[in-house]
Amino acid sequence: MADWVTISSLATAGGTLVLAGATFASVRSANRASRLAERSLLAELRPLLVPSRLEDATQKVGFVDGKWLHVPGSGAAAETSDEAAYLAISLRNVGSGIAALHGWRFAVGRDISQDPPDPETFTRLTRDLYVAAGDVGFWQGTFRDPSTEEFTAARAAIEAREDVTIEVLYGDLEGGQRMISRYALTPRDDGNWLAAAGRHWNVDGPDPRRSG
């Protein structure tokens, strides 16, 4: 004689197992779709700053003390006085989102180190600078304390027309997806500098060079 209680229990257990499997697959699929949607959204916000093109217009960059620099396409400009050393780079955002600039670092000569710099060592910008996606903009920085070693080194390098390295810290409009881009500035015969991108680091995400 059939044990209907046992049969019923087994059927219920089987149904519960099937339902659990379906729920697990559904949740996993939803999580995967959520991750893909998040990655798509971040891709739409992601900036990437490179030197502007040679044919891009010269930009007039102003400083708080009334100083102005004229920065040509694909280039940089630098000038000094007894009170300040001024620097600016013409940049183009080849990413898909607005770039919000956060800070910068300066070094005399060409820095060819491979390790990413520490964002905590960057000098914070004193004004908000943004570069729209697909458009040109600029970075600017100054040294204003003649008593510091940084001021002395920057002034000497600019006046001697030596190569210098600028690293810029920036991110998307929401404050995430921070990047560090390194630019080498090489003196040109016309008194300006040619800017070239040397390296880009992803601060808040995995390094694509080390994936896999």
Side-chain angles (χ1 to χ4, degrees), residues 48-59 61 70-77 88-94 131-132 134-139 183-185 188 193-197 200:
L48 180 62
L49 297 178
V50 300
S52 62
R53 302 167 182 162
L54 282 169
E55 61 268 25
D56 285 330
T58 296
Q59 299 182 75
V61 178
H70 292 82
V71 191
S74 192
I89 304 175
S90 178
L91 299 172
R92 175 175 283 276
N93 185 357
V94 297
V131 184
D135 203 354
V136 294
F138 60 86
W139 162 86
Y183 310 102
L185 308 187
R188 302 190 337 185
W193 271 257
L194 181 68
H200 304 278

Side-chain angles (χ1 to χ4, degrees), residues 7-145:
I7 294 175
S8 177
S9 297
L10 291 173
T12 300
T16 301
L17 182 62
V18 170
L19 180 60
T23 302
F24 174 77
S26 177
V27 170
R28 185 171 61 177
S29 177
N31 288 339
R32 185 183 302 113
S34 178
R35 288 194 299 270
L36 290 174
E38 181 182 10
R39 292 182 63 181
S40 297
L41 175 61
L42 290 175
E44 294 176 0
L45 297 174
R46 185 173 299 126
L48 180 62
L49 297 178
V50 300
S52 62
R53 302 167 182 162
L54 282 169
E55 61 268 25
D56 285 330
T58 296
Q59 299 182 75
K60 188 176 180 181
V61 178
F63 294 80
V64 67
D65 57 3
K67 177 67 178 180
W68 293 88
L69 294 181
H70 292 82
V71 191
S74 192
E79 294 184 16
T80 65
S81 70
D82 292 337
E83 295 79 27
Y86 307 91
L87 297 123
I89 304 175
S90 178
L91 299 172
R92 175 175 283 276
N93 185 357
V94 297
S96 51
I98 296 174
L101 279 63
H102 303 313
W104 60 284
R105 296 201 324 173
F106 171 92
V108 176
R110 289 207 175 197
D111 189 342
I112 59 173
S113 60
Q114 302 298 307
D115 295 330
D118 181 357
E120 297 300 322
T121 64
F122 281 64
T123 299
R124 175 67 62 174
L125 288 169
T126 57
R127 63 177 292 193
D128 292 335
L129 294 177
Y130 299 91
V131 184
D135 203 354
V136 294
F138 60 86
W139 162 86
Q140 64 181 141
T142 57
F143 293 97
R144 295 188 179 277
D145 187 352

Side-chain angles (χ1 to χ4, degrees), residues 147-202:
S147 66
T148 64
E149 294 181 0
E150 292 83 1
F151 179 96
T152 301
R155 182 178 181 181
I158 293 170
E159 293 180 350
R161 306 283 294 159
E162 298 179 14
D163 289 357
V164 299
T165 298
I166 301 292
E167 292 168 335
V168 178
L169 172 66
Y170 58 95
D172 63 32
L173 194 58
E174 301 297 319
Q177 301 192 98
R178 291 178 301 166
M179 296 286 295
I180 294 174
S181 292
R182 174 184 289 164
Y183 310 102
L185 308 187
T186 304
R188 302 190 337 185
D189 293 338
D190 61 2
N192 290 306
W193 271 257
L194 181 68
R199 208 153 183 84
H200 304 278
W201 289 278
N202 187 340

